[in-house]
Amino acid sequence: MPDTYILGIESSCDETAAAVVRSGEQIISSAVASQIATHRPYGGVVPELASREHLRAITPIVREALQQANRTYENLDAIAVTKGPGLAGSLLVGVSFAKSLAYALDKPLIAVNHLEGHIHAVLLEERQRGNHNIEFPLMTLVVSGGHTHLYLATRRGEGWSYQNVGHTRDDAAGEAFDKVAKLLALGYPGGPIIDKAAKLGNPWAIKFPPAQIKHRNRGDKSPVPERPHFDFSYSGIKTAVLRYVETHDMQAAIDARRQALAANGKPINDQVLALCDQATLDLVASFQRSIVDDLVSKTLAAAREYDIATLFVSGGVAANSELRNTFEQRASQEGIPAFFPSRPLSTDNAAMIAAAAYPKWLAHDFADPELCAEASLPLR
Ligand code: KG4
Ligand code: ZN
């Protein structure tokens, strides 16, 4: 099989990214333009600003990926792009760019689901390490700023198919990290700073009650009983943190930190940590432990229910050190091999998009030239 060079383009949220990947198993280049600085003052992604930044960054980032890879447009085999899910205006920038490129170069266009990209980030790096023996069935937790989804993945010919066996009913786990960080004036994005702060706090200081989730199929009259769903819910814990702040008189300290950080402009993590008292560190550590416990327990319960052979954990929150340690420890106790992407490949990137496109290339599963972005694209 000759080598195949696919250019991946990703613009679903707040990172504009391009990458060249060889035959789904070797990253030749990966360039990411982050919009963190643009969204930081708002403590979250502002969709209109995100589209504008993608428009600015897309051409230079694609050029950078090609330059790093020492490739020209002509010696690419295909153009892959994130079709969805994501922010409509952001997706549109990548999709329009990829469509024009594929048309002008007369190369195949491949549409990729962003969530499938996160799953293939793990596979790509395992292949890069020489591991070609991932066993199926495979359970994968995609946990990021926009998603908390559990999929059962199986092989279908060259491609893959996915069954959703759980998802968040409200906020995604990463969203909870970002909102709690905003509430406590820890900066944006919340995940990395909470990860650091939690190491200095007592994770057992505060006990947050687990989310109560009503089973959606209670009124279901179907004769075949459904297998259980493993849903998540993280909006309650955000409210519980807010209530804790109010009842423990923490607001003045938070306001003081917010002012100090506003004066700083672009504070580094150590400066933020220096502004945190022990009560804040304990709160953050307890919040993180609660989320990690919930993610790990439900994922492993789903793994047992579906008797899976392998576990993947991917998406921005998969960069969290406590989540990784807890998964590694508890999955190994149950005899399930657990795999994570490296940190740069946990958060949004285009190498994962180019890698997920490779099985589609093999299957000649090419997109129509009229390809449209789809903000709520499901993964099947
Ligand atoms: O996958 P990603 O880059 O974008 C989405 O598809 O959403 O994930 C970004 C999310 C943000 O919510 C960020 O706070 C979270 O991932 N994140 C983390 C960590 N690093 C990034 N959450 C917890 N711990 C981390 N170390
Ligand atoms: Zn993502």
Side-chain angles (χ1 to χ4, degrees), residues 114 118 144 348:
H114 181 78
H118 275 302
S144 69
D348 288 350

Side-chain angles (χ1 to χ4, degrees), residues 55 66 88 108 111 201 330 342:
L55 277 171
L66 287 174
R330 287 181 49 190
S342 64

